[in-house]
Amino acid sequence: MRFVIHSRKDSLCSVYTLFHICPVPTQQENPMADTPIIHFQKTHFITSAPTIRDMPEDSGIEVAFAGRSNAGKSSALNRLTNQKSLAKTSKTPGRTQLINVFEVAENKRIIDLPGYGFAQVPLEMKKKWQKSLGEYLQKRHSLKGLVVLMDIRHPLKDLDQDLIFWAVDCNIPVLALLTKADKLKSGARKNTLLKVREAAKDFGGEVQIELFSSLKGIGVDIVQRVLGHWYDERNYPELNVLDSALDMDVASLSEDQDQTSDAE
């Protein structure tokens, strides 16, 4: 089987229609070799938000997880963090319709976006999810990486491609995981990986394709390393600028208070 990537023009039209996205340019990260260790097992739930307006303050660094409703996203999050029930799994794909926020470390979050593309979900519910997803992708400035999960037996569906194209257009790195890799034998697994990697060259940008299995633990170490790099503040000089500006404001406020006390 050969996987075909649809054109960028088709992708953008589809994204605008389905997710109401108007891409906002972001600064591309600077590669660094010495990535700090992230203790993913300390990840904990913060809140579930029906809309972006109900999410925590837009600061720090966020990595979003997105995928079709039956791609195994919740299981992947549980395996990544070595927890059994951090993300709730459901026997009814597509039931989760909230934006779930998890804190990995201070100012570092995982965003579990609503699943998309499940055929048996009512149309009105789909539209609601698409609006929430579109709001997050369009307006959230702390988004620094996107993990797209695809069933290895059904990779690169249209909506998967749409999300990847959007991230590339915004200079946001993408880690695309071929989930449920244990469902295929070793030879078929490697063959699919090579074909998807070859097809993914048409996306351009920074798109990394890897195997993943929540059951067997395949690819967990790779995901942890990639996310550790994305969470490294040194990759984003603009964060340091904001911190410096905040420090200056605090120092200025303290100085003003001292001068007021002296005057009294």
Side-chain angles (χ1 to χ4, degrees):
M1 179 184 296
R2 179 175 178 270
F3 300 105
V4 179
I5 304 300
H6 55 224
S7 69
R8 183 177 298 270
K9 179 178 179 181
D10 290 341
S11 170
L12 292 176
C13 289
S14 182
V15 170
Y16 292 144
T17 301
L18 292 175
F19 300 120
H20 311 285
I21 294 172
C22 180
V24 178
T26 61
Q27 183 170 355
Q28 192 169 13
E29 63 177 8
N30 300 319
M32 300 188 75
D34 52 337
T35 300
I37 296 176
I38 301 293
H39 299 287
F40 287 95
Q41 70 274 16
K42 295 183 179 180
T43 301
H44 59 276
F45 174 78
I46 298 178
T47 187
S48 291
T51 68
I52 188 173
R53 292 180 293 275
D54 301 300
M55 291 179 66
E57 181 183 357
D58 188 4
S59 61
I61 301 172
E62 292 181 349
V63 174
F65 278 63
R68 297 179 67 83
S69 300
N70 54 353
K73 181 160 51 68
S74 296
S75 297
L77 287 171
N78 289 336
R79 184 69 191 218
L80 171 66
T81 59
N82 195 28
Q83 300 185 39
K84 293 183 178 180
S85 57
L86 177 72
K88 296 181 179 180
T89 58
S90 173
K91 293 183 179 180
T92 305
R95 176 165 292 176
T96 303
Q97 54 183 300
L98 299 173
I99 302 172
N100 295 313
V101 183
F102 304 95
E103 185 173 71
V104 179
E106 185 177 3
N107 292 324
K108 297 176 175 65
R109 296 177 295 276
I110 284 176
I111 308 300
D112 179 12
L113 297 173
Y116 55 82
F118 193 67
Q120 297 180 13
V121 173
L123 180 60
E124 288 303 316
M125 188 174 293
K126 284 185 181 181
K127 290 181 178 179
K128 182 179 178 180
W129 294 347
Q130 290 164 2
K131 181 178 180 180
S132 295
L133 180 57
E135 286 180 347
Y136 174 74
L137 296 176
Q138 178 183 354
K139 299 178 181 179
R140 199 71 173 175
H141 299 293
S142 52
L143 176 62
K144 301 300 182 183
L146 178 65
V147 180
V148 178
L149 297 96
M150 306 179 290
D151 189 321
I152 192 172
R153 299 165 296 181
H154 313 287
L156 297 176
K157 296 294 186 181
D158 286 348
L159 294 182
D160 303 324
Q161 294 187 35
D162 291 337
L163 283 176
I164 295 173
F165 268 126
W166 171 83
V168 169
D169 288 338
C170 293
N171 292 322
I172 293 177
V174 175
L175 175 61
L177 300 180
L178 302 178
T179 62
K180 306 182 183 181
D182 56 281
K183 298 292 185 181
L184 298 182
K185 294 183 178 180
S186 178
R189 185 189 309 159
K190 293 179 180 179
N191 186 47
T192 301
L193 175 63
L194 292 176
K195 288 183 177 180
V196 174
R197 281 179 172 173
E198 182 64 27
K201 293 178 180 179
D202 291 339
F203 288 121
E206 186 177 344
V207 180
Q208 181 175 345
I209 311 294
E210 300 292 347
L211 298 172
F212 191 87
S213 169
S214 299
L215 182 62
K216 301 295 184 180
I218 299 171
V220 174
D221 55 338
I222 296 176
V223 177
Q224 290 178 339
R225 287 200 301 269
V226 171
L227 266 62
H229 176 66
W230 289 349
Y231 283 130
D232 189 349
E233 294 93 343
R234 295 172 297 178
N235 293 338
Y236 315 105
E238 69 273 14
L239 294 181
N240 296 328
V241 171
L242 291 174
D243 290 341
S244 298
L246 179 60
D247 292 340
M248 291 177 63
D249 289 341
V250 172
S252 177
L253 178 61
S254 299
E255 184 177 346
D256 291 341
Q257 290 175 341
D258 292 340
Q259 291 176 354
T260 301
S261 299
D262 292 341
E264 294 175 351

